[in-house]
Amino acid sequence: MQSNLPDTPLANPTAPRWWLWIVDRIAAIPGRAWAVMLILLVMPLVANDFFLFQIFGWSFILGIVALSLMFLAGYGGMVSLIQMSVAGLAGYMVALFGESGTAISLGLPWWFVIPLAIAIATLFGSLVGLLAVRTEGIYTIMITLAMASAFYYFTRQNYTIFNGYTGFNLVLPPALFGVDWRQPVAFYYLTLVVAGLCHLLVTYVSRAPFGLALQGVRDNPRRMAALGFNVTAHRVAAYAFASVLASIGGILLVWQNAQIAPGTAGIHATFDILIIAVIGGLSRPSGPFLGAFLFVLLATFAPDVLRAIGASGERYKMLIGAIFLIVVFVSPDGLLGLWERWKARMVRDDMMRGGGGVDR
Amino acid sequence: MSEFARKHPVWTGLIVLAVLFAIWAIFAPWPAGFEDIFGRKKVFLNALFSGITLGALYFLVASGFTLIFGLMRNVNLAHGSLYLLGGYLGYEFAEWTGLWLLSFLVVFVVMGCVGIAMQYLVFRRLEGQDLRQTLVTIGISVVAADIMLWIWGGQSYQVLSPDWLSGPMQLPLVTGYNREGALVYLKYPKVRLAILLAAIAIGIGIWLALNRTRVGMVIRAGVDDRDILGAMGVPIGPVFLGVFAFGAGLAGMAGIVGGTFQSIAPGEDTRFLMASLVVVIVGGMGSVQGAAIGALLIGLAEQLGSVYMPTYAVVLTFLIMAAVLAFRPQGLMGRRG
């Protein structure tokens, strides 16, 4: 968490404080991030529609859901497998209260439906969090996994709210500003902006007093309690915050697929989110997006690649599982961890060669 | 027991009343007004027995899970895969030789070896890193599910029970009167009764092994504090291997039972993984008695729930789990620590 705050103030000291704050924050964004942002912004010039909608759109969405897991696991030390269910619930609520091709949808206006969906999903996620924080460590995984599978079986059995096996179809985003948001370019920018905002929000929260206290709770709950912090409240609040992120991802997901069914938040989807977050790395908010991009690439192209080398194209899950196993075995903190270690080794090598300081 | 009765007279009275009511509901023919509210007695009795049998099956799966967890602090999320693989292997063996009973032994040995391989090749290398061990088991379950789908395809298989266990059997339980006014007794499939009896026998066997033998003493000590146990010079590695092999073998055997009782198909692995998780959370982690109680509760909740509130049966299971977590986070028979 090194800050790249400049030594000299950039703006006129008489300018209002909020302006200085914003300038400082923007100046603190590292050059690499600017480069990534620029590349992502001009992507529609080079990438075709399939890539924009199916690869990048999906990566951003899965990245947002995995980001909520990364927030809980990385900053809160709680590996929660409920995130995909929260996302699924938000998607279901959008389909139920908004418009869809199913008779039980209520058809309320979007500006009411979206906050409502986020609120309901957040309430659900917080309630699960309230139960899950009563136990610690490895138990959290078990309990959240049990609840996630209970949610899956419930959506499959229940027809009055979740419409059972079939779920909802024709769930479309509102045509706001006269734009069809399911057009590849529009959808690309929609997901990009939302993902960027979520990333920014998590980065901000992780450095805000709440995020720092949460990291303290992760490292030593007893000491934090002795210092007067309410450990349980911080953990439940973390679940609530992560649920908001997950439900945003869930709403985007239902818009992308234009439908939602029990399998959307099934047990395999739950594991997929964990796999994404772990492959990317749980230590930084950019990890989940990296993991999601890799996952989507694998899920999309592995069948073709496998077929090209003569294997059966249906075995791509095995490939993803195997890569996940290798990453877990080789690097505890995912691809980002590998990258950091490689960078550290380069620096060490440079210093051994007597290269002195390395500019960053 | 008597101490509890002296401390909580009201609760004791209520429990006694509930037990008496349950005994009456099971053994006596129901009066007409009662049947109007609760439906036919035959339906109730069938759901009750299915629930108990399902609980027996859950116990077979979950007891290995809870032992492995208690001793090694290893949440084996590939436990459902072991169940499914055992079911498939049992099906293949029973089809090949026609020996249903022998398939249990064979599958127990084969799955035990698989368990030993998992413990030896994977978990031993990640000793003490709970999270990574759990992640590895998720990876294994994903890969295993795909390999099994590859080999056995998407259709479901039914393990056929031998002739001497097929057909129903009359139980001395009244379901009601027939048109002539004579008592009608419950008919229940023989094979399910056999499963129930076998599960009870295995449960008693595990309890005796844990509480009356030296190895059981070592395992119980390991559940309480494995570091001290190791420091006292007990060779802890072989004990871990043995428990893992036993748990895996039990899960595999449960696969055959599940294949005979219901069927085996892709997706059953996650279903039984979920069942084991819930059973262990309700019963208490690392406790075999807890697994038995939890399995019975969850099995009954599922079957009675699916009869009396069809679209909300899962909610009942979920509510039981939530209630246990809220009031007794360590589980019904679990110990704090």
Side-chain angles (χ1 to χ4, degrees):
Chain A
M1 245 184 40
Q2 97 277 6
S3 100
N4 295 2
L5 282 177
D7 300 330
T8 50
L10 285 173
N12 174 5
T14 56
R17 277 191 65 193
W18 59 267
W19 173 249
L20 284 179
W21 187 82
I22 288 178
V23 169
D24 268 4
R25 290 300 120 168
I26 291 175
I29 298 174
R32 229 180 310 130
W34 284 113
V36 172
M37 260 194 269
L38 196 70
I39 291 173
L40 288 177
L41 276 176
V42 298
M43 189 59 80
L45 295 178
V46 287
N48 63 15
D49 284 357
F50 174 77
F51 257 83
L52 288 181
F53 189 76
Q54 208 56 47
I55 304 287
F56 282 103
W58 198 23
S59 301
F60 290 139
I61 293 168
L62 288 181
I64 294 171
V65 181
L67 178 68
S68 76
L69 169 59
M70 177 268 140
F71 178 80
L72 280 176
Y75 297 130
M78 301 171 286
V79 181
S80 151
L81 294 180
I82 200 71
Q83 301 309 317
M84 195 61 216
S85 308
V86 173
L89 182 64
Y92 265 116
M93 288 300 111
V94 165
L96 175 68
F97 289 110
E99 288 182 24
S100 80
T102 314
I104 55 177
S105 286
L106 298 175
L108 300 173
W110 64 269
W111 49 263
F112 182 69
V113 169
I114 294 172
L116 184 68
I118 293 178
I120 292 175
T122 304
L123 187 69
F124 170 69
S126 314
L127 283 178
V128 171
L130 202 60
L131 285 176
V133 298
R134 291 182 65 89
T135 54
E136 271 189 3
I138 215 82
Y139 300 86
T140 311
I141 296 186
M142 297 175 66
I143 285 158
T144 50
L145 177 60
M147 295 204 192
S149 23
F151 177 79
Y152 165 66
Y153 287 109
F154 183 56
T155 53
R156 237 176 48 166
Q157 280 185 357
N158 185 285
Y159 279 85
T160 46
I161 306 172
F162 295 104
N163 204 23
Y165 265 107
T166 31
F168 295 84
N169 53 11
L170 290 175
V171 189
L172 302 175
L176 194 59
F177 308 122
V179 179
D180 177 5
W181 291 99
R182 283 196 84 231
Q183 284 299 316
V185 177
F187 192 76
Y188 172 80
Y189 279 117
L190 175 70
T191 48
L192 173 64
V193 168
V194 174
L197 286 177
C198 288
H199 185 283
L200 206 64
L201 189 64
V202 168
T203 313
Y204 172 73
V205 169
S206 72
R207 295 170 191 181
F210 167 67
L212 293 175
L214 187 66
Q215 290 166 59
V217 165
R218 170 198 66 192
D219 293 338
N220 197 333
R222 238 183 220 194
R223 193 177 294 173
M224 291 303 278
L227 285 172
F229 287 90
N230 188 338
V231 170
T232 312
H234 274 80
R235 285 181 172 158
V236 176
Y239 267 99
F241 177 69
S243 303
V244 173
L245 293 178
S247 48
I248 291 171
I251 293 172
L252 290 175
L253 186 64
V254 70
W255 283 344
Q256 192 200 21
N257 295 332
Q259 57 108 18
I260 187 161
T264 310
I267 295 154
H268 289 291
T270 297
F271 283 164
D272 286 347
I273 293 297
L274 182 70
I275 289 173
I276 286 170
V278 170
I279 286 184
L282 288 169
S283 54
R284 272 206 258 152
S286 44
F289 291 103
L290 186 68
F293 186 57
L294 195 73
F295 178 86
V296 170
L297 280 182
L298 271 176
T300 316
F301 294 113
D304 296 334
V305 175
L306 283 176
R307 233 172 274 133
I309 59 168
S312 164
E314 291 159 27
R315 301 277 77 80
Y316 76 95
K317 282 218 156 146
M318 214 154 86
L319 193 65
I320 292 177
I323 289 179
F324 173 72
L325 276 177
I326 292 170
V327 168
V328 171
F329 259 105
V330 173
S331 166
D333 37 4
L335 290 180
L336 276 184
L338 276 184
W339 163 249
E340 303 263 308
R341 244 184 287 162
W342 182 76
K343 218 167 57 182
R345 192 187 303 160
M346 294 315 279
V347 171
R348 207 169 52 222
D349 286 357
D350 259 20
M351 274 157 67
M352 269 153 96
R353 263 186 254 118
V358 178
D359 62 356
R360 10 172 79 250
Chain B
M1 202 81 127
S2 61
E3 198 179 325
F4 179 84
R6 220 173 292 135
K7 269 188 195 160
H8 310 275
V10 180
W11 278 111
T12 314
L14 284 177
I15 290 170
V16 168
L17 272 182
V19 169
L20 285 178
F21 178 75
I23 291 173
W24 173 80
I26 291 169
F27 288 100
W30 288 4
F34 202 72
E35 288 211 339
D36 288 344
I37 305 169
F38 292 100
R40 311 251 328 271
K41 188 181 174 193
K42 194 178 157 196
V43 175
F44 166 76
L45 272 188
N46 263 320
L48 188 74
F49 270 80
S50 305
I52 295 174
T53 316
L54 189 64
L57 178 55
Y58 283 167
F59 170 73
L60 287 182
V61 189
S63 53
F65 186 80
T66 196
L67 267 182
I68 291 173
F69 179 83
L71 193 62
M72 286 167 251
R73 298 276 164 251
N74 174 1
V75 181
N76 181 15
L77 294 182
H79 204 71
S81 312
L82 294 175
Y83 165 88
L84 192 58
L85 182 60
Y88 280 132
L89 290 180
Y91 170 81
E92 291 292 341
F93 187 82
E95 284 290 297
W96 180 47
T97 59
L99 300 168
W100 185 70
L101 269 184
L102 191 64
S103 67
F104 282 88
L105 188 68
V106 171
V107 164
F108 184 81
V109 172
V110 172
M111 295 311 294
C113 293
V114 171
I116 287 178
M118 275 172 76
Q119 165 69 13
Y120 194 75
L121 296 175
V122 181
F123 301 120
R124 210 176 41 117
R125 290 166 200 272
L126 300 172
E127 192 67 65
Q129 303 176 52
D130 301 350
L131 182 61
R132 276 175 85 192
Q133 285 189 343
T134 310
L135 293 178
V136 166
T137 60
I138 289 179
I140 291 175
S141 76
V142 170
V143 173
D146 210 46
I147 293 177
M148 286 189 278
L149 187 65
W150 190 9
I151 298 176
W152 282 285
Q155 71 266 45
S156 66
Y157 295 87
Q158 172 95 44
V159 182
L160 292 177
S161 53
D163 293 336
W164 52 273
L165 272 179
S166 58
M169 181 185 164
Q170 192 159 300
L171 293 182
L173 292 171
V174 182
T175 58
Y177 302 98
N178 63 8
R179 244 174 264 132
E180 286 84 47
L183 288 173
V184 178
Y185 291 95
L186 178 72
K187 287 206 171 68
Y188 198 70
K190 263 186 221 162
V191 65
R192 295 192 175 190
L193 276 185
I195 290 167
L196 180 58
L197 292 178
I200 292 173
I202 289 177
I204 292 174
I206 294 177
W207 188 85
L208 284 178
L210 277 180
N211 289 288
R212 293 281 183 276
T213 65
R214 218 185 133 68
V215 178
M217 200 162 73
V218 169
I219 293 174
R220 275 184 298 138
V223 170
D224 282 348
D225 195 330
R226 62 172 174 186
D227 295 337
I228 294 293
L229 183 71
M232 289 178 70
V234 176
I236 202 160
V239 177
F240 279 15
L241 270 183
V243 169
F244 211 106
F246 180 74
L250 217 53
M253 270 172 38
I256 308 179
V257 173
T260 315
F261 175 54
Q262 294 165 333
S263 64
I264 36 175
E268 291 291 291
D269 49 348
T270 44
R271 198 186 131 214
F272 276 86
L273 173 63
M274 179 215 172
S276 325
L277 281 176
V278 176
V279 163
V280 170
I281 290 169
V282 168
M285 329 236 174
S287 152
V288 174
Q289 293 102 302
I293 295 174
L296 191 62
L297 263 179
I298 298 303
L300 281 175
E302 257 183 44
Q303 288 298 322
L304 289 175
S306 67
V307 168
Y308 291 104
M309 33 195 246
T311 68
Y312 294 95
V314 174
V315 179
L316 194 60
T317 311
F318 176 80
L319 281 181
I320 292 176
M321 191 175 79
V324 167
L325 280 177
F327 295 108
R328 214 178 143 79
Q330 73 271 38
L332 292 177
M333 303 292 284
R335 264 178 279 183
R336 251 178 216 291

PDB file of all heavy atoms in Angstrom, chain B residues 119-135:
ATOM      1  N   GLN B 119      -4.517 -37.993   0.745  1.00  0.00           N
ATOM      2  CA  GLN B 119      -3.841 -37.510   1.949  1.00  0.00           C
ATOM      3  C   GLN B 119      -2.324 -37.483   1.746  1.00  0.00           C
ATOM      4  O   GLN B 119      -1.661 -36.524   2.114  1.00  0.00           O
ATOM      5  CB  GLN B 119      -4.217 -38.402   3.141  1.00  0.00           C
ATOM      6  CG  GLN B 119      -3.337 -38.263   4.358  1.00  0.00           C
ATOM      7  CD  GLN B 119      -3.502 -36.933   5.057  1.00  0.00           C
ATOM      8  OE1 GLN B 119      -4.434 -36.201   4.796  1.00  0.00           O
ATOM      9  NE2 GLN B 119      -2.565 -36.623   5.935  1.00  0.00           N
ATOM     10  N   TYR B 120      -1.804 -38.545   1.101  1.00  0.00           N
ATOM     11  CA  TYR B 120      -0.349 -38.677   0.995  1.00  0.00           C
ATOM     12  C   TYR B 120       0.214 -37.694  -0.016  1.00  0.00           C
ATOM     13  O   TYR B 120       1.252 -37.083   0.204  1.00  0.00           O
ATOM     14  CB  TYR B 120      -0.017 -40.119   0.594  1.00  0.00           C
ATOM     15  CG  TYR B 120       1.430 -40.475   0.783  1.00  0.00           C
ATOM     16  CD1 TYR B 120       1.930 -40.699   2.067  1.00  0.00           C
ATOM     17  CD2 TYR B 120       2.293 -40.575  -0.298  1.00  0.00           C
ATOM     18  CE1 TYR B 120       3.259 -41.008   2.257  1.00  0.00           C
ATOM     19  CE2 TYR B 120       3.625 -40.892  -0.112  1.00  0.00           C
ATOM     20  CZ  TYR B 120       4.098 -41.103   1.173  1.00  0.00           C
ATOM     21  OH  TYR B 120       5.414 -41.400   1.365  1.00  0.00           O
ATOM     22  N   LEU B 121      -0.487 -37.555  -1.165  1.00  0.00           N
ATOM     23  CA  LEU B 121       0.077 -36.745  -2.238  1.00  0.00           C
ATOM     24  C   LEU B 121      -0.250 -35.271  -2.100  1.00  0.00           C
ATOM     25  O   LEU B 121       0.505 -34.417  -2.557  1.00  0.00           O
ATOM     26  CB  LEU B 121      -0.446 -37.242  -3.597  1.00  0.00           C
ATOM     27  CG  LEU B 121      -0.039 -38.650  -3.986  1.00  0.00           C
ATOM     28  CD1 LEU B 121      -0.709 -39.051  -5.286  1.00  0.00           C
ATOM     29  CD2 LEU B 121       1.467 -38.724  -4.134  1.00  0.00           C
ATOM     30  N   VAL B 122      -1.406 -34.962  -1.507  1.00  0.00           N
ATOM     31  CA  VAL B 122      -1.856 -33.572  -1.545  1.00  0.00           C
ATOM     32  C   VAL B 122      -1.813 -32.923  -0.170  1.00  0.00           C
ATOM     33  O   VAL B 122      -1.087 -31.960   0.060  1.00  0.00           O
ATOM     34  CB  VAL B 122      -3.283 -33.492  -2.126  1.00  0.00           C
ATOM     35  CG1 VAL B 122      -3.736 -32.046  -2.179  1.00  0.00           C
ATOM     36  CG2 VAL B 122      -3.337 -34.113  -3.498  1.00  0.00           C
ATOM     37  N   PHE B 123      -2.584 -33.471   0.782  1.00  0.00           N
ATOM     38  CA  PHE B 123      -2.805 -32.739   2.022  1.00  0.00           C
ATOM     39  C   PHE B 123      -1.572 -32.709   2.910  1.00  0.00           C
ATOM     40  O   PHE B 123      -1.341 -31.761   3.627  1.00  0.00           O
ATOM     41  CB  PHE B 123      -4.001 -33.313   2.768  1.00  0.00           C
ATOM     42  CG  PHE B 123      -5.251 -33.243   1.957  1.00  0.00           C
ATOM     43  CD1 PHE B 123      -5.939 -34.370   1.615  1.00  0.00           C
ATOM     44  CD2 PHE B 123      -5.693 -32.021   1.486  1.00  0.00           C
ATOM     45  CE1 PHE B 123      -7.076 -34.286   0.840  1.00  0.00           C
ATOM     46  CE2 PHE B 123      -6.819 -31.932   0.711  1.00  0.00           C
ATOM     47  CZ  PHE B 123      -7.506 -33.075   0.383  1.00  0.00           C
ATOM     48  N   ARG B 124      -0.765 -33.785   2.839  1.00  0.00           N
ATOM     49  CA  ARG B 124       0.431 -33.821   3.665  1.00  0.00           C
ATOM     50  C   ARG B 124       1.368 -32.664   3.294  1.00  0.00           C
ATOM     51  O   ARG B 124       2.101 -32.151   4.106  1.00  0.00           O
ATOM     52  CB  ARG B 124       1.133 -35.155   3.444  1.00  0.00           C
ATOM     53  CG  ARG B 124       1.902 -35.668   4.619  1.00  0.00           C
ATOM     54  CD  ARG B 124       2.434 -37.024   4.255  1.00  0.00           C
ATOM     55  NE  ARG B 124       2.903 -37.005   2.871  1.00  0.00           N
ATOM     56  CZ  ARG B 124       4.167 -37.207   2.524  1.00  0.00           C
ATOM     57  NH1 ARG B 124       5.061 -37.446   3.429  1.00  0.00           N
ATOM     58  NH2 ARG B 124       4.508 -37.205   1.258  1.00  0.00           N
ATOM     59  N   ARG B 125       1.314 -32.281   1.996  1.00  0.00           N
ATOM     60  CA  ARG B 125       2.222 -31.221   1.546  1.00  0.00           C
ATOM     61  C   ARG B 125       1.753 -29.844   1.969  1.00  0.00           C
ATOM     62  O   ARG B 125       2.498 -28.876   1.906  1.00  0.00           O
ATOM     63  CB  ARG B 125       2.323 -31.248   0.021  1.00  0.00           C
ATOM     64  CG  ARG B 125       3.062 -32.444  -0.454  1.00  0.00           C
ATOM     65  CD  ARG B 125       2.878 -32.651  -1.933  1.00  0.00           C
ATOM     66  NE  ARG B 125       3.204 -34.026  -2.251  1.00  0.00           N
ATOM     67  CZ  ARG B 125       4.426 -34.430  -2.537  1.00  0.00           C
ATOM     68  NH1 ARG B 125       5.400 -33.564  -2.598  1.00  0.00           N
ATOM     69  NH2 ARG B 125       4.671 -35.688  -2.778  1.00  0.00           N
ATOM     70  N   LEU B 126       0.480 -29.724   2.327  1.00  0.00           N
ATOM     71  CA  LEU B 126      -0.060 -28.417   2.697  1.00  0.00           C
ATOM     72  C   LEU B 126      -0.433 -28.416   4.168  1.00  0.00           C
ATOM     73  O   LEU B 126      -1.368 -27.749   4.580  1.00  0.00           O
ATOM     74  CB  LEU B 126      -1.284 -28.091   1.845  1.00  0.00           C
ATOM     75  CG  LEU B 126      -1.046 -28.028   0.346  1.00  0.00           C
ATOM     76  CD1 LEU B 126      -2.353 -27.884  -0.388  1.00  0.00           C
ATOM     77  CD2 LEU B 126      -0.126 -26.890  -0.002  1.00  0.00           C
ATOM     78  N   GLU B 127       0.304 -29.193   4.955  1.00  0.00           N
ATOM     79  CA  GLU B 127       0.001 -29.350   6.377  1.00  0.00           C
ATOM     80  C   GLU B 127      -0.127 -27.989   7.065  1.00  0.00           C
ATOM     81  O   GLU B 127       0.728 -27.126   6.926  1.00  0.00           O
ATOM     82  CB  GLU B 127       1.138 -30.141   7.018  1.00  0.00           C
ATOM     83  CG  GLU B 127       0.852 -30.636   8.401  1.00  0.00           C
ATOM     84  CD  GLU B 127      -0.242 -31.682   8.404  1.00  0.00           C
ATOM     85  OE1 GLU B 127      -0.021 -32.760   7.826  1.00  0.00           O
ATOM     86  OE2 GLU B 127      -1.303 -31.415   8.989  1.00  0.00           O
ATOM     87  N   GLY B 128      -1.216 -27.800   7.766  1.00  0.00           N
ATOM     88  CA  GLY B 128      -1.371 -26.592   8.568  1.00  0.00           C
ATOM     89  C   GLY B 128      -1.849 -25.379   7.792  1.00  0.00           C
ATOM     90  O   GLY B 128      -2.019 -24.310   8.369  1.00  0.00           O
ATOM     91  N   GLN B 129      -2.065 -25.524   6.472  1.00  0.00           N
ATOM     92  CA  GLN B 129      -2.578 -24.377   5.712  1.00  0.00           C
ATOM     93  C   GLN B 129      -4.026 -24.677   5.337  1.00  0.00           C
ATOM     94  O   GLN B 129      -4.314 -25.137   4.242  1.00  0.00           O
ATOM     95  CB  GLN B 129      -1.742 -24.141   4.469  1.00  0.00           C
ATOM     96  CG  GLN B 129      -0.275 -23.936   4.792  1.00  0.00           C
ATOM     97  CD  GLN B 129       0.550 -23.805   3.540  1.00  0.00           C
ATOM     98  OE1 GLN B 129       0.260 -23.008   2.671  1.00  0.00           O
ATOM     99  NE2 GLN B 129       1.583 -24.601   3.425  1.00  0.00           N
ATOM    100  N   ASP B 130      -4.920 -24.386   6.268  1.00  0.00           N
ATOM    101  CA  ASP B 130      -6.320 -24.793   6.109  1.00  0.00           C
ATOM    102  C   ASP B 130      -6.928 -24.301   4.811  1.00  0.00           C
ATOM    103  O   ASP B 130      -7.563 -25.036   4.075  1.00  0.00           O
ATOM    104  CB  ASP B 130      -7.146 -24.246   7.271  1.00  0.00           C
ATOM    105  CG  ASP B 130      -6.634 -24.736   8.595  1.00  0.00           C
ATOM    106  OD1 ASP B 130      -5.781 -25.625   8.568  1.00  0.00           O
ATOM    107  OD2 ASP B 130      -7.072 -24.225   9.628  1.00  0.00           O
ATOM    108  N   LEU B 131      -6.716 -23.002   4.529  1.00  0.00           N
ATOM    109  CA  LEU B 131      -7.396 -22.403   3.387  1.00  0.00           C
ATOM    110  C   LEU B 131      -6.932 -23.047   2.085  1.00  0.00           C
ATOM    111  O   LEU B 131      -7.732 -23.407   1.232  1.00  0.00           O
ATOM    112  CB  LEU B 131      -7.143 -20.899   3.364  1.00  0.00           C
ATOM    113  CG  LEU B 131      -7.859 -20.192   2.223  1.00  0.00           C
ATOM    114  CD1 LEU B 131      -9.358 -20.370   2.348  1.00  0.00           C
ATOM    115  CD2 LEU B 131      -7.504 -18.726   2.181  1.00  0.00           C
ATOM    116  N   ARG B 132      -5.612 -23.229   1.968  1.00  0.00           N
ATOM    117  CA  ARG B 132      -5.113 -23.803   0.717  1.00  0.00           C
ATOM    118  C   ARG B 132      -5.572 -25.234   0.550  1.00  0.00           C
ATOM    119  O   ARG B 132      -5.890 -25.677  -0.548  1.00  0.00           O
ATOM    120  CB  ARG B 132      -3.588 -23.724   0.667  1.00  0.00           C
ATOM    121  CG  ARG B 132      -3.123 -22.370   0.179  1.00  0.00           C
ATOM    122  CD  ARG B 132      -1.641 -22.252   0.251  1.00  0.00           C
ATOM    123  NE  ARG B 132      -0.967 -22.792  -0.915  1.00  0.00           N
ATOM    124  CZ  ARG B 132       0.337 -23.003  -0.959  1.00  0.00           C
ATOM    125  NH1 ARG B 132       1.081 -22.734   0.087  1.00  0.00           N
ATOM    126  NH2 ARG B 132       0.896 -23.466  -2.050  1.00  0.00           N
ATOM    127  N   GLN B 133      -5.618 -25.987   1.669  1.00  0.00           N
ATOM    128  CA  GLN B 133      -6.128 -27.359   1.580  1.00  0.00           C
ATOM    129  C   GLN B 133      -7.554 -27.364   1.060  1.00  0.00           C
ATOM    130  O   GLN B 133      -7.910 -28.149   0.181  1.00  0.00           O
ATOM    131  CB  GLN B 133      -6.090 -28.012   2.960  1.00  0.00           C
ATOM    132  CG  GLN B 133      -4.713 -28.418   3.392  1.00  0.00           C
ATOM    133  CD  GLN B 133      -4.750 -29.238   4.656  1.00  0.00           C
ATOM    134  OE1 GLN B 133      -5.731 -29.249   5.366  1.00  0.00           O
ATOM    135  NE2 GLN B 133      -3.667 -29.929   4.928  1.00  0.00           N
ATOM    136  N   THR B 134      -8.362 -26.460   1.588  1.00  0.00           N
ATOM    137  CA  THR B 134      -9.755 -26.414   1.153  1.00  0.00           C
ATOM    138  C   THR B 134      -9.847 -26.041  -0.322  1.00  0.00           C
ATOM    139  O   THR B 134     -10.622 -26.635  -1.075  1.00  0.00           O
ATOM    140  CB  THR B 134     -10.514 -25.397   2.002  1.00  0.00           C
ATOM    141  OG1 THR B 134     -10.244 -25.671   3.368  1.00  0.00           O
ATOM    142  CG2 THR B 134     -11.985 -25.482   1.762  1.00  0.00           C
ATOM    143  N   LEU B 135      -9.037 -25.063  -0.727  1.00  0.00           N
ATOM    144  CA  LEU B 135      -9.045 -24.667  -2.140  1.00  0.00           C
ATOM    145  C   LEU B 135      -8.657 -25.842  -3.022  1.00  0.00           C
ATOM    146  O   LEU B 135      -9.254 -26.071  -4.078  1.00  0.00           O
ATOM    147  CB  LEU B 135      -8.086 -23.495  -2.362  1.00  0.00           C
ATOM    148  CG  LEU B 135      -8.482 -22.189  -1.697  1.00  0.00           C
ATOM    149  CD1 LEU B 135      -7.434 -21.123  -1.940  1.00  0.00           C
ATOM    150  CD2 LEU B 135      -9.825 -21.715  -2.210  1.00  0.00           C
TER     151      LEU B 135
END
